[in-house]
Each structure stands twice: as structure tokens, then as C-alpha cells.
Amino acid sequence: MRAVIQRVQRASVTIDGVETASIGQGYLILLGVGHDDTPATAEKLWHKIAALRIIEDENGKTNRSLGDVGGAVLVVSQFTLYADCRHGRRPSFTAAGAPALARELYEYFVTLARADVPQVSTGTFAADMKVALVNDGPFTIVLDTDEL
């Protein structure tokens, strides 16, 4: 699995001109599922994200986790995180998980997040979404479970 974690002041998802999800302070997580991913992969990734200390304390040091500040999470599916741009000019997405697997693991990841975080919002799987955010910092981290 791959995730882009953005520490945000706020973030939202709009579909067909209607805002369908939003959060205040917390993380916007763009989540991609690969064809070899499993529930164990989702667990590994979520536990890493939940424990990250990337929120500033009173001294401006990144010493706080999401749970320490009661932050929210917005999870948006993003198969394009598996784009392969090594050949030609059109990306290949063959490394992305099949839609049924990706949906299952995306929903499982959201379930894991909801077990730890009081406010978890989501995009709509496979929808054409407009994602808006105010990046706090900016602070953005890219995680790949193959490298954790």
C-alpha cells in the first residue's frame, strides 16, 4: 500500500458540486492499494500512520501524534499512487490493485482508523472527487509498505 499523508488545518471532498466529507485539524490520507496487498498490509500502514509524531508541540517540535491532539482523518482512495511513468508519456497502472481488492482493503483501512480516531471521514471509492485542503506546514509524508 502507498499513502500520502498531509497534515492539514482542514480538508474536504466534493462530488458533483456537493461537499460530501470534511475535517478540521488532522490528516488527509491519499491511499493506494497494490495488487499484492493484504489486510496485514493495511494494518501495518495504519499503525505506522497512527503512531507518527508529526504534529507540533508547544515548542514547535514535531512530538505529537494524531491521538495526542484529537485530530481527524480524511481517507481518499487514489489508485494513481501506483502510476508507473518509466516508459513513454502515458502512465501505466498495472501495479494497482484490482477494483474489488482495492475497495475491500480501502474499507478495511478506514475501519482500522475508526477504531482509533473519533472523527474519520472518507471520499467515495472510485468517484470523481475534488479534494481541497489547507496543508499545515506544509507537512507531507509519503509511505510505501514495501519500505516500512
Side-chain angles (χ1 to χ4, degrees):
M1 292 183 110
R2 293 180 180 161
V4 175
I5 301 100
Q6 295 180 299
R7 188 178 74 190
V8 298
Q9 291 180 352
R10 64 181 175 275
S12 64
V13 171
T14 300
I15 300 172
D16 294 328
V18 177
E19 186 177 280
T20 59
S22 66
I23 62 166
Q25 179 187 20
Y27 300 163
L28 167 63
I29 301 172
L30 304 175
L31 183 69
V33 176
H35 57 76
D36 291 331
D37 289 330
T38 65
T41 310
E43 292 166 10
K44 180 180 185 179
L45 182 60
W46 170 249
H47 293 304
K48 183 66 164 185
I49 292 170
L52 284 175
R53 296 185 325 167
I54 61 172
I55 298 173
E56 293 179 356
D57 64 15
E58 62 279 354
N59 298 315
K61 302 290 184 191
T62 53
N63 281 327
R64 292 190 173 149
S65 69
L66 190 64
D68 293 337
V69 299
V73 171
L74 174 57
V75 185
V76 175
S77 63
Q78 181 119 21
F79 80 93
T80 60
L81 292 178
Y82 276 89
D84 180 351
C85 298
R86 291 178 292 177
H87 306 288
R89 295 184 304 231
R90 182 178 301 158
S92 168
F93 298 101
T94 57
L101 171 69
R103 181 186 300 269
E104 176 185 331
L105 291 178
Y106 168 78
E107 291 173 356
Y108 182 59
F109 183 89
V110 169
T111 299
L112 295 169
R114 286 188 170 140
D116 293 336
V117 178
Q119 184 191 355
V120 176
S121 296
T122 65
T124 300
F125 187 87
D128 181 8
M129 297 173 275
K130 308 302 180 215
V131 180
L133 70 138
V134 176
N135 197 319
D136 184 12
F139 204 109
T140 302
I141 292 179
V142 178
L143 296 177
D144 187 323
T145 54
D146 288 342
E147 299 172 5
L148 294 181

